[in-house]
Amino acid sequence: FSTNIANEGRFHTKWLNMMYPRLYLARNLLRDDGVILISIDDREVSNLRKLCDEIFGEERLVSQLVWKNKYNAGALTKGFSSVHEYVLCYSKGEISNLTVPLGDTEIAGYKGRDSKFDSRGGFVTQPLATSSKDPRPNLRYPIVVDGREIWPEKQWIWSKERVEQAIANDEVVINESSGKISVRVKQYLKDERGEMREMKPLSILIGPYNQEGTKETAEIFGNSNIFSFPKPMELARHWVSLTINDQKDKESIILDFFAGSSTTAHAVLDLNQKDNGNRKFIMVQLPEPCPEESEAFKAGYKTIADIGKKRIRLVIEKLESEQNGKLPFDGIPPQDRGFKVLKLDKSNFKQWQSLPPDTPPEKIVEQLQLFVNHVDPKVSGPDDLLFEILIKAGFPPSEPIENLTLAGKTVYAIAGGGLLLCLEDEISAELINAVAEAEPMQFICLDAAFGGNDQLKANAVQTFAARNLGKEKHNQIVFKTV
């Protein structure tokens, strides 16, 4: 950890050096239709935009949003009162359309009612005529009502066939006032499938306000001073609920690499609860120490990461308690709100040291002897080894893990048994036979577990080879030791 003091000469340089590798990795992690949203204040917004232009490309700027994040000016404000921040939105690939759910104010505006109210909700009306689009002769035609022809001043927005269909479905409203006839079309709150209408996100966002974020943490922790200036959950939920290129995705992965109090995780859990989604979150937070004089430290939180983990647990407990006693909907499985906490650390395996060509033989022998048992003796438990091997084997750390007992040994089954992993200190022939019988895609165990018994290891290789005879390569069991 290092500090970045505002009055030192390299303040902006140090900030950019910190941000560049994170943004570069973020771009690589994004899906082709993924977006990144970055909240930033006046001090660094110009530098951040140049940085993102370099990493993502100027053409990938979706928008620079203004977020009004405070109710009003502070009493001690000098000069202009700053009541806003910015949110930069960049994409990795081409973005043809973005929409967000309607807010409460917009939903309340759908006041019209007709025979479709039960299935499609209320409606508002929009003019059918337009004078702003380029001239298109096929959109200029008369609409005949009660024997009268109604012509647009310039043209209609819909084709003749579409308008006739809308009239037949009672989705056109025609009014006459002071000798002028208006033709408007109904826009329902829901579509024919019952899906709620969405809206284009605005480049100016009025609220939610920072004060709401402080209120939320006070309700969760019972103390408003546990975390300073948390983002409001509703803001994060607004971004998580984006529909990109008209593809509603309730299975997306949301990454926040400045997690803070884990507001983004709270937003994902809350949105999943509302629309029965299966979104996943990855929160990244340095274990920055909480000052000893802070309320957070006095409450038992040693680092900011501890605050974020606790918030996720408390939010899950609240959602679970709200769900208890409610009947599940047919065909909708209960939500999995579990999460894992992983800490970045050095490898659990001893690292081979590169030796120069003139290294004395006894030094080479000494290093070879260190690797007779290459597992670091400081390993605290099997979970440390489990997750390192899991990642190196190409599986995500969020993969479900099941504990099995085969031939009296503990075996971890990953990906529904696609990978079987044994971290026992001793391997037996009975275990090898039981694993071969289970026919996983991969079996991994500790090399040291064979205890130097080369015959047992050779027999294991032959056992799996016999199982693989006549099978396609993708169906064969891969046997590895670590």
Side-chain angles (χ1 to χ4, degrees), residues 287-361:
E288 182 180 340
C290 297
E292 293 188 9
E293 67 277 8
S294 68
E295 289 292 321
F297 188 88
K298 293 174 184 176
Y301 303 105
K302 294 182 179 179
T303 68
I304 291 178
D306 291 337
I307 297 173
K309 289 183 288 184
K310 184 64 174 179
R311 178 173 184 170
I312 295 172
R313 293 188 178 103
L314 290 172
V315 168
I316 290 174
E317 286 175 11
K318 181 175 182 292
L319 292 174
E320 295 285 357
S321 65
E322 291 174 355
Q323 193 64 34
N324 287 341
K326 293 183 179 179
L327 293 174
F329 291 101
D330 290 338
I332 300 178
Q335 290 191 347
D336 180 0
R337 298 190 178 97
F339 73 104
K340 292 187 174 81
V341 177
L342 302 175
K343 299 178 182 179
L344 187 63
D345 204 345
K346 64 182 181 63
S347 174
N348 296 291
F349 298 94
K350 298 173 186 174
Q351 302 301 299
W352 181 265
Q353 303 296 317
S354 246
L355 300 174
D358 58 349
T359 301

Side-chain angles (χ1 to χ4, degrees), residues 101 195-196 198 237 240-243 248-252 267-279 329 332-333 335 337:
E195 292 284 340
M196 188 80 79
E198 294 197 333
R237 190 177 64 196
V240 172
S241 62
L242 276 173
T243 297
K248 287 185 178 292
D249 185 4
K250 296 182 181 181
E251 303 278 338
S252 54
V268 172
L269 290 164
D270 185 78
L271 187 59
N272 281 345
Q273 168 84 342
K274 283 181 167 53
D275 65 7
N276 200 50
N278 190 34
R279 302 168 188 85
F329 291 101
I332 300 178
Q335 290 191 347
R337 298 190 178 97

